[in-house]
Amino acid sequence: MLPARRRAVVTAIAWDRLAVPEARRLREFGFDEGVHVEILHRATLFRGPVACRIGRMTVALRRSVAAAITVTID
């Protein structure tokens, strides 16, 4: 699990673990191997979404979607 406020590089995305609309949404947001990301906040109630920054954009991802993304700390 990537600590908050720590930059990382996406090393892999398990596209086969994602539903087609979720995978398409990730691609539209710019998620792909080699992209820099940063976790901003994790909702603690009911395992809520994860807010992360990709480029200059902040997006919220479901935990199941975030779990399909593998990163390496920058």
Side-chain angles (χ1 to χ4, degrees):
M1 182 182 301
L2 181 65
R5 299 292 178 179
R6 197 79 191 265
R7 284 177 51 96
V9 177
V10 175
T11 55
I13 299 175
W15 297 110
D16 57 329
R17 290 176 42 193
L18 301 171
V20 172
E22 293 171 332
R24 183 177 49 237
R25 194 172 314 119
L26 278 186
R27 287 188 177 104
E28 289 171 354
F29 286 146
F31 280 90
D32 207 351
E33 287 84 4
V35 171
H36 290 268
V37 296
E38 178 182 0
I39 298 296
L40 299 176
H41 179 74
R42 286 186 177 85
T44 55
L45 248 121
F46 307 111
R47 297 193 40 82
V50 176
C52 64
R53 178 175 295 139
I54 176 166
R56 296 183 338 187
M57 182 172 42
T58 301
V59 297
L61 301 175
R62 292 184 182 126
R63 297 262 178 157
S64 61
V65 173
I69 301 170
T70 304
V71 297
T72 301
I73 294 177
D74 211 8

